[in-house]
């Protein structure tokens, strides 16, 4: 039973991937890219979801997915036009499919008529194309489903029969049957289909029965199973396919393409031969001499796959007969399959004990061969497509990441322990440590690469959000995404969804103006939100830009004053005002809307982003728009920091935010009226924060012996932190303070140093924001 | 019995000794003895310094590294308003789980393990809000009073601005 649960878990994993894919495809389709590739991708995704759902008996999902699929199929072959209406219906349908999946996953029951309305619309659209006379058609199909998908076990039952069959039936008796070409009425519309599945067909959740049913929809059908390849029970793999089928099909205006389409989803898992009747089928009619068969096998695996069941079945038999000749024939093209094939045949003829039925003797041994080389061919196919992947539990990866992180720390601790004295004495040890350092770095990079994912997975959810927002607000909004292939650590990506949602909501709700207003201002009626991702050094920048109204600073300041966030006698800079929108409980919406404006949005952004060691910055241009920038670490696991001392305590400052460091004795400080200090750096004046003072600690050092760490938090504004000592650079693992305590102002987290002590990570941006609040208090 | 308003999440870990008895770790602060339920205690370790946390109240002594996780240390004496402890190597940190968090409290010494009956737990005398806030109840052991610490209350209100 747990096996089934495992399969289910995998299925749901796949479903969520497929749903992402759907989102992505529809985002493009909505953007006007209505080409066949996209439609096919959508179709495949829905089909896969449906297939799995059928296997697990989620009948509601199957029913809906099928109706959806039918519509897609019509769209694909051009019978239904891809109008905006249809696109919207499809997008709505994706939601319903997602709901069905969620319900199935959590074991809930959806209302029986859930999605019924959409389903009817599918049917209506589909029926519109089929013409009135077949009104009942789509309904019929849907009804058919429950029957169609429940009998997963039927395949097994069929297989069981098959097992029993060959034992009693001597091969000789069966073979004539298959060679026995059906009567050939030479009139158009008669087709002969040879369907030879490879061994793995069932493992791809494909069921020949379904294919036959689909064929039956096309026209009159007559299916014959070919059972010659079924091995004795001892060699029988229960999940392998040993059967192949010949299907004769009649329908007046049937095309080869239509038939092949039915087999689209088993493409690569079987060989299909579609021959119009009346054309002679060579293998059945004229036996091919054995050497030719061998050459075919050598040339390419595909040839073997293309062989009809009969050819494959007959080839080994002949090979055995001409065993001595076979290796010679194989020599010119020294390829694996051919050699092994021939060798095997040799071996069989040499060592196989005589069997009661001579013809049957080579048969069972040879039978697995086509399937085996089929699998080989399949593998080859995978190889050529380049990407091979495995599914690994994220927990396992996380464990490795954590251990590698600790390893990196230990390594950097070891390196620090090597003082000059030791270095001079133990050169070998030093060399070893250097190699260790390199290897750990490499190991860390590779491990992090495993967990890296393109931001696409988050970005792809945004088009729908924008669509919904546009509908709700009555605004016209277009979303542009750039750099969605930028890769970030998975854990960072997971934390990204909420903040991005809030930021885009904010842009749509507060930034972009109504169409009329935009027109009056001489802008295009359609507002644009641009979502982009790029890598900048050790950081990832995620930028949300809009061409709306910008931040209404007067209102923001007014509200901040009302709420006591800013003291009445303080005039913050424009930038500080912009940053105020991230203060807790702050909202500028005139009316609390149901989109944003509950005042919980933007501070969630800030706290979420801070939690993962990032920072947020906003810039606004009145009347022209605003830009919010998230700066995120590439990885959460290891942070490059500068270790400093404040009072007697160790603190670390993320290296990515440090611009430069200098001694206080060489720095030029000036006083400003508020009593604070500013630092003059190359003609620029920078706010100074004495960290010891801010953290309520006593500095025992003379002012001139202290150090300035010039930091650049997000945006252009710099800040100068005054610390007591600079110890050096190192790598640390970020540890959460909140896990056992709570968030502390000015502190972004903690970390454990090589000596086992805890050092706190300075939240550079938090210190600045806090400064405003403190002035207010 | 009613007086023992131990919260759900640590009250339910008492089943070890039986329904009606309770095992406590007793520790001393100055002359006074206090106790916490033994099942909440994770570890007892000697004081080895802590990294101070800025912007917190004086009873937050800082954070320590407990096998890779950061655990805050609360100074129980300071929490009772008696000023900060000046810890030495002989002082002890009792690491406990409070809800889903681990915290350490700094005490002078751990003295004993007590087994008491739930019926012997007395109410904290009304009067001073600090007493009723920080203590869950009082028991008598060797004719001396042992206060049952309410860990949730001790941990709360650690931030400077409440």
């Amino acid at each position: 039973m747990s096996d089934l649960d495992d399969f289910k878990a995998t299925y749901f994993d796949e479903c969520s991937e497929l749903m992402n894919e759907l989102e992505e495809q529809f985002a493009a389709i909505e953007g006007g890219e209505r080409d066949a590739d996209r439609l096919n991708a959508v179709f495949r995704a829905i089909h896969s979801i449906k297939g799995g759902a059928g296997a697990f008996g989620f009948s509601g999902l199957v029913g809906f997915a099928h109706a959806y699929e039918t519509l897609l199929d019509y769209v694909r072959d051009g019978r239904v036009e891809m109008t905006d209406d249809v696109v919207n219906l499809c997008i709505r349908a994706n939601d319903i499919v997602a709901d069905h999946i969620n319900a199935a996953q959590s074991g809930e029951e959806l209302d029986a008529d859930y999605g019924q309305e959409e389903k009817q619309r599918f049917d209506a659209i589909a029926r519109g194309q089929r013409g009135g006379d077949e009104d009942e058609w789509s309904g019929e199909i849907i009804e058919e489903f429950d029957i169609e998908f429940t009998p997963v076990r039927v395949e097994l039952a069929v297989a069981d029969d098959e097992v029993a069959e060959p034992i009693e039936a001597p091969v000789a008796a069966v073979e004539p049957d298959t060679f026995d070409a059906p009567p050939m009425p030479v009139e158009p519309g008669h087709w002969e289909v040879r369907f030879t599945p490879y061994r793995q067909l069932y493992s791809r959740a494909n069921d020949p029965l379904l294919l036959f049913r689909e064929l039956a929809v096309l026209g009159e059908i007559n299916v014959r199973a070919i059972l010659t390849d079924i091995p004795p029970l001892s060699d029988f793999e229960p999940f392998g396919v040993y059967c192949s089928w010949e299907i004769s099909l009649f329908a007046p205006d049937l095309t080869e393409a239509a038939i092949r389409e039915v087999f689209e989803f088993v493409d690569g898992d079987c060989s299909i031969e579609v021959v119009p009747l009346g054309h002679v089928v060579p293998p059945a009619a004229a036996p091919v001499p054995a050497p030719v068969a061998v050459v075919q096998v050598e040339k390419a695996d595909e040839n073997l796959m293309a062989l009809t069941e009969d050819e494959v079945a007959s080839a080994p038999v002949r090979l055995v007969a001409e065993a001595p000749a076979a290796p010679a024939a194989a020599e010119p093209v020294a390829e694996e399959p051919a050699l092994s094939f021939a060798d095997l045949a040799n071996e069989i003829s040499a060592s196989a004990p005589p069997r009661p039925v001579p013809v049957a003797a080579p048969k069972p041994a040879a039978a697995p061969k086509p399937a085996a080389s089929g699998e080989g061919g399949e593998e080859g196919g995978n190889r050529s497509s380049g990407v091979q992947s495995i599914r690994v539990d994220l927990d396992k990866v996380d464990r490795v990441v954590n251990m590698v992180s600790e390893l990196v720390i230990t390594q950097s601790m070891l390196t620090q322990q090597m003082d000059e004295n030791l270095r001079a004495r133990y050169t070998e040890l030093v060399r070893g440590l250097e190699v260790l350092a390199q290897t750990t770095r490499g190991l860390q990079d590779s491990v992090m690469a495993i967990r890296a994912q393109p931001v696409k997975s988050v970005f792809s959810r945004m088009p729908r959000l924008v669509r919904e927002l546009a509908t709700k607000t009555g605004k016209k909004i277009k979303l542009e995404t750039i750099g969605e292939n930028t890769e970030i650590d998975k854990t960072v990506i997971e934390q990204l969804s909420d903040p991005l949602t809030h930021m885009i909501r904010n842009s749509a709700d507060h930034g972009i103006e109504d169409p009329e207003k935009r027109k009056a201002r001489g802008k295009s009626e359609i507002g644009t939100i641009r979502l982009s991702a790029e890598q900048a050094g050790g950081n990832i920048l995620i930028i949300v830009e809009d061409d709306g109204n910008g931040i209404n600073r007067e209102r923001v300041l007014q509200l901040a004053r009302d709420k006591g966030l800013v003291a009445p006698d303080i005039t913050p800079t424009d930038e500080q005002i912009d940053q105020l929108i991230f203060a807790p409980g702050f909202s500028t919406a005139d009316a609390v809307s149901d989109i944003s404006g509950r005042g919980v949005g933007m501070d969630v952004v800030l706290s979420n982003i801070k939690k993962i060691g990032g920072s947020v910055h906003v810039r606004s241009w009145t009347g022209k728009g605003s830009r919010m920038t998230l700066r995120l670490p590439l990885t959460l696991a290891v942070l490059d920091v500068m270790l400093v001392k404040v009072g007697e305590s160790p603190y670390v400052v993320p290296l990515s935010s440090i611009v430069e460091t200098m001694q206080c004795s060489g720095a030029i400080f000036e006083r400003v009226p508020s009593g604070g200090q500013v630092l003059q750096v190359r003609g620029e004046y920078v706010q100074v924060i004495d960290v010891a003072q801010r953290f309520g600690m006593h500095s025992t050092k003379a002012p001139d012996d202290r150090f300035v760490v010039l930091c650049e938090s997000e945006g252009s504004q710099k800040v100068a932190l005054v610390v007591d000592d600079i110890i050096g650079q190192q790598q640390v693992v970020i540890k959460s303070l909140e896990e056992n305590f709570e968030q502390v102002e000015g502190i972004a987290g903690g970390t454990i140093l090589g000596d086992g002590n805890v050092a706190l990570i300075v939240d550079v941006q938090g210190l600045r924001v806090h400064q405003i609040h403190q002035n207010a208090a | 019995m009613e007086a023992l308003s131990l919260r759900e999440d640590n009250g339910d870990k008492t089943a070890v000794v039986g329904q009606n008895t309770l095992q406590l770790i007793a520790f001393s602060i100055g002359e006074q003895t206090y106790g916490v339920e033994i099942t909440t205690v994770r570890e007892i370790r000697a004081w080895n310094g802590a990294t101070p946390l800025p912007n917190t109240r004086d009873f937050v002594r800082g954070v320590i590294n407990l096998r890779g996780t950061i655990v805050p240390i609360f100074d129980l004496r300071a929490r009772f308003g008696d000023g900060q402890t000046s810890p030495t190597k002989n002082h002890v940190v009792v690491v406990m789980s409070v809800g889903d968090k681990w915290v350490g409290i700094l005490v002078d010494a751990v003295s004993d393990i007590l087994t008491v009956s739930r019926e012997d737990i007395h109410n904290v005398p009304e009067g001073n809000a600090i007493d009723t806030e920080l203590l869950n109840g009082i028991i008598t052991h060797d004719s001396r009073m042992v206060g049952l610490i309410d860990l949730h209350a001790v941990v709360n209100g650690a931030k400077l601005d409440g």
Side-chain angles (χ1 to χ4, degrees):
Chain A
M1 225 47 220
S2 72
D3 265 3
L4 184 64
D5 289 345
D6 280 355
F7 287 137
K8 264 192 193 169
T10 310
Y11 169 68
F12 288 125
D13 280 355
E14 276 171 11
C15 276
S16 73
E17 279 163 26
L18 291 167
M19 288 314 293
N20 278 345
E21 160 104 20
L22 281 177
E23 285 277 353
E24 225 170 83
Q25 298 298 351
F26 270 104
I29 289 173
E30 225 196 355
E33 293 177 39
R34 293 180 186 175
D35 52 77
D37 282 353
R38 301 225 176 259
L39 265 174
N40 285 334
V42 170
F43 190 78
R44 272 195 302 271
I46 290 293
H47 185 81
S48 308
I49 291 174
K50 182 182 95 171
F56 293 114
F58 304 138
S59 53
L61 176 53
V62 174
F64 187 81
H66 182 79
Y68 185 11
E69 193 185 350
T70 312
L71 173 72
L72 287 171
D73 194 27
Y74 281 21
V75 173
R76 205 167 45 148
D77 57 19
R79 275 182 278 183
V80 171
E81 202 192 333
M82 195 72 171
T83 59
D84 286 350
D85 266 358
V86 175
V87 173
N88 283 336
L89 179 62
C90 289
I91 289 168
R92 172 80 191 115
N94 291 345
D95 293 349
I96 295 173
V97 170
D99 288 343
H100 271 297
I101 293 170
N102 288 339
Q105 191 165 15
S106 57
E108 289 163 17
E109 284 284 324
L110 287 174
D111 290 344
D113 61 347
Y114 184 73
Q116 209 59 36
E117 190 189 323
E118 282 76 13
K119 209 157 138 184
Q120 272 155 18
R121 284 183 61 194
F122 294 146
D123 295 347
I125 295 175
R127 203 160 33 231
Q129 311 306 313
R130 295 276 300 198
D133 54 319
E134 283 178 86
D135 252 3
E136 77 293 6
W137 177 80
S138 51
E140 185 191 304
I141 283 290
I142 291 158
E143 269 165 28
E144 205 182 300
F145 262 132
D146 296 354
I147 316 160
E148 196 168 60
F149 274 98
T150 3
V152 192
R153 261 170 238 96
V154 167
E155 346 171 325
L156 287 178
V158 169
D160 282 343
D161 291 347
E162 287 161 9
V163 184
E165 196 93 16
I167 297 169
E168 296 138 34
V171 177
V174 180
E175 257 175 36
D177 202 32
T178 60
F179 277 91
D180 196 4
M184 296 183 190
V186 191
E187 48 182 298
H190 275 282
W191 292 83
E192 183 73 16
V193 181
R194 283 169 199 277
F195 169 50
T196 316
Y198 303 147
R199 190 65 56 83
Q200 73 274 16
L201 183 81
Y202 292 154
S203 64
R204 305 285 164 87
N206 285 312
D207 182 352
L209 186 60
L210 303 180
L211 298 169
F212 302 153
R213 287 206 175 134
E214 250 180 276
L215 282 177
V217 174
L218 296 177
E220 261 176 59
I221 180 174
N222 180 16
V223 183
R224 289 177 304 283
I226 295 158
L227 308 171
T228 46
D229 273 344
I230 295 171
L233 193 54
S234 56
D235 297 339
F236 191 86
E237 275 179 57
F239 296 108
V241 184
Y242 295 96
C243 235
S244 58
W245 289 269
E246 287 180 346
I247 305 138
S248 47
L249 194 56
F250 173 75
D253 48 359
L254 198 56
T255 62
E256 178 171 346
I259 298 174
R260 288 207 177 266
E261 205 182 298
V262 171
F263 292 97
E264 181 171 2
F265 290 103
V266 289
D267 192 24
D269 294 330
C270 67
S271 88
I272 303 287
E273 228 177 70
V274 181
V275 190
L277 269 195
H279 294 238
V280 177
V281 190
V288 185
V292 178
V294 173
V295 171
Q296 270 180 331
V297 173
E298 284 159 12
K299 265 185 185 156
D301 291 346
E302 271 136 28
N303 273 354
L304 182 61
M305 295 178 222
L307 291 182
T308 60
E309 202 280 331
D310 320 23
E311 287 171 317
V312 174
S314 53
V317 179
R318 279 182 225 107
L319 268 176
V320 177
E322 297 174 39
E331 244 160 16
V333 193
E335 261 191 39
E336 267 288 291
L339 281 177
S340 58
F341 207 127
D343 289 349
L344 188 76
N346 255 337
E347 226 174 84
I348 292 159
S349 62
S351 65
R355 299 264 177 121
V357 186
V359 196
K363 191 92 192 85
K369 214 48 209 166
S373 37
E375 269 160 21
E378 215 263 324
E379 259 173 47
N382 274 354
R383 224 175 293 128
S384 65
S385 72
V387 185
Q388 272 200 359
S389 64
I390 52 165
R391 246 168 225 283
V392 182
D393 212 338
L394 189 60
D395 278 351
K396 288 186 191 164
V397 179
D398 287 350
R399 231 174 297 150
V400 176
V401 170
N402 286 341
M403 278 192 291
V404 169
S405 308
E406 297 293 342
L407 182 66
V408 169
I409 304 306
T410 314
Q411 176 267 317
S412 76
M413 184 194 81
L414 278 177
T415 310
Q416 272 176 2
Q417 301 289 318
M418 298 294 288
D419 59 21
E420 285 311 313
N421 212 347
L422 286 172
R423 269 174 211 282
R425 268 169 60 194
Y426 303 105
T427 46
E428 278 305 306
L429 191 58
V430 171
R431 206 166 302 148
L433 276 177
E434 276 163 7
V435 176
L436 178 67
Q438 246 171 22
T439 320
T440 24
R441 256 295 183 187
L443 183 61
Q444 189 199 341
D445 288 347
S446 336
V447 163
M448 295 324 292
I450 294 177
R451 230 171 38 170
Q453 277 196 326
V455 285
K456 203 195 265 173
S457 58
V458 183
F459 276 20
S460 65
R461 292 180 215 159
M462 298 306 154
R464 121 140 17 137
L465 176 71
V466 170
R467 212 153 50 224
E468 282 172 5
L469 290 172
T471 324
K472 274 189 195 156
T473 54
K475 296 172 183 175
K476 291 183 180 167
I477 309 171
K478 167 175 91 186
L479 179 76
E480 286 175 8
T481 51
I482 300 164
E484 50 195 8
N485 286 325
T486 312
E487 288 197 332
I488 321 183
D489 194 286
K490 188 173 164 62
T491 41
V492 181
I493 287 192
E494 280 162 5
Q495 301 289 329
L496 207 55
S497 177
D498 278 0
L500 268 188
T501 309
H502 281 300
M503 285 159 77
I504 287 185
R505 274 192 183 151
N506 193 69
S507 283
D509 206 27
H510 305 308
I512 307 276
E513 313 92 325
D514 299 331
E516 301 80 48
K517 215 186 243 178
R518 290 184 66 90
K519 228 178 185 176
R521 287 185 179 168
K523 296 187 196 176
S524 144
E525 270 190 34
I526 303 166
T528 308
I529 297 178
R530 184 179 295 123
L531 181 58
S532 63
E534 61 182 281
Q535 186 173 347
N539 290 308
I540 295 282
L541 301 184
I542 308 259
I543 302 168
V544 178
E545 270 177 297
D546 66 65
D547 63 350
N549 198 21
I551 291 173
N552 184 341
R553 296 204 176 99
E554 276 170 36
R555 260 197 71 73
V556 169
L557 187 56
Q558 189 55 49
L559 258 163
R561 290 223 157 101
D562 291 350
K563 294 183 189 218
L565 294 168
V566 175
D569 55 330
I570 285 182
T571 315
T573 61
D574 282 357
E575 198 221 331
Q576 283 173 331
I577 297 174
D578 292 350
Q579 215 65 26
L580 277 173
I581 64 167
F582 294 112
F586 191 89
S587 175
T588 53
D590 287 331
V592 171
S593 69
D594 105 278
I595 300 167
S596 55
R598 277 154 299 173
V600 290
M602 299 314 275
D603 64 309
V604 169
V605 171
L606 187 62
S607 66
N608 274 17
I609 295 300
K610 257 193 202 164
K611 218 182 283 171
I612 52 177
S615 61
V616 190
H617 179 257
V618 59
R619 279 204 73 177
S620 167
W621 298 268
T622 308
K624 284 185 185 158
S626 56
R627 179 169 67 205
M628 279 185 262
T629 311
L630 299 184
R631 183 182 284 264
L632 302 166
L634 258 183
T635 157
L636 286 188
V638 176
L639 189 67
D640 279 301
V641 295
M642 180 163 294
L643 187 58
V644 301
K645 224 172 200 165
V646 178
E648 283 309 302
S649 310
Y651 280 84
V652 299
V653 184
L655 212 52
S656 59
S657 62
I658 297 179
V659 182
E660 63 177 293
T661 57
M662 59 187 97
Q663 267 189 301
C664 281
S665 54
I668 311 160
F669 292 105
E670 308 279 356
R671 293 229 153 253
V672 284
S674 70
Q677 278 188 318
V678 291
L679 172 73
Q680 191 193 339
V681 201
R682 291 182 286 274
E684 204 182 330
Y685 289 93
V686 178
Q687 182 194 11
V688 174
I689 295 173
D690 182 337
V691 183
Q693 197 187 331
R694 277 296 303 286
F695 286 168
M697 283 182 279
H698 299 288
S699 170
T700 50
K701 286 190 112 182
D704 268 1
D705 289 345
R706 303 175 78 198
F707 290 86
V708 175
V709 179
L710 192 62
C711 297
E712 186 170 28
S713 65
E714 196 37 60
S716 56
Q717 286 281 335
K718 295 193 178 83
V719 59
L721 304 181
V722 177
V723 299
D724 290 346
D725 206 350
I726 290 179
I727 299 169
Q729 280 183 27
Q730 81 177 84
Q731 291 188 311
V732 298
V733 179
I734 305 174
K735 305 272 179 182
S736 151
L737 273 186
E738 284 154 78
E739 187 184 336
N740 286 317
F741 192 51
E742 53 199 354
Q743 218 182 336
V744 176
E745 248 158 7
I747 303 296
T751 182
I752 290 158
L753 300 178
D755 59 7
N757 282 329
V758 178
L760 301 173
I761 302 169
V762 179
D763 174 8
V764 177
Q765 199 187 14
L767 281 179
R768 295 191 60 227
V769 174
H770 192 63
Q771 189 89 355
I772 307 174
H773 296 179
Q774 222 180 29
N775 291 350
Chain B
M1 180 70 190
E2 269 74 25
L4 184 75
S5 57
L6 278 178
R7 314 257 160 115
E8 283 292 309
D9 45 8
N10 37 16
D12 58 3
K13 290 172 191 157
T14 54
V16 198
V17 202
Q19 284 295 315
N20 242 358
T21 50
L22 197 61
Q23 277 198 313
L24 304 175
I25 294 241
F27 47 81
S28 58
I29 291 168
E31 292 294 299
Q32 197 57 55
T33 307
Y34 297 94
V36 291
E37 229 187 300
I38 200 165
T39 50
T40 64
V41 175
R42 295 282 160 262
E43 183 166 336
I44 296 171
R45 41 166 44 215
W47 169 261
N48 194 21
T51 305
L53 272 179
N55 298 327
T56 49
R57 293 196 182 271
D58 65 341
F59 63 82
V60 181
R61 286 310 287 253
V63 285
I64 60 163
N65 160 26
L66 188 75
R67 289 183 299 277
T69 50
I70 295 182
V71 174
I73 305 297
F74 296 86
D75 184 340
L76 206 52
R77 176 177 277 114
R79 184 71 180 94
F80 292 156
D82 286 345
Q84 282 200 344
T85 309
S86 314
T88 65
K89 288 271 174 203
N90 296 328
H91 281 76
V92 173
V93 171
V94 183
V95 180
M96 291 174 281
S97 59
V98 182
D100 58 353
K101 299 189 171 185
W102 284 32
V103 300
I105 57 172
L106 173 63
V107 299
D108 288 355
V110 169
S111 52
D112 209 349
I113 294 176
L114 310 176
T115 307
V116 296
S117 165
R118 282 181 186 275
E119 273 125 48
D120 294 341
I121 301 171
H122 306 286
N123 283 348
V124 182
E126 300 276 335
N128 193 326
I130 295 186
D131 299 339
T132 45
E133 183 198 340
L134 296 179
L135 296 184
N136 269 331
I138 292 173
I139 51 172
T140 310
H141 182 75
D142 281 351
S143 68
R144 292 292 309 268
M145 186 193 94
V146 177
L148 281 178
I149 304 284
D150 182 338
L151 291 171
H152 284 270
V154 169
V155 172
N156 280 343
K159 260 206 225 173
L160 207 52
D161 44 21

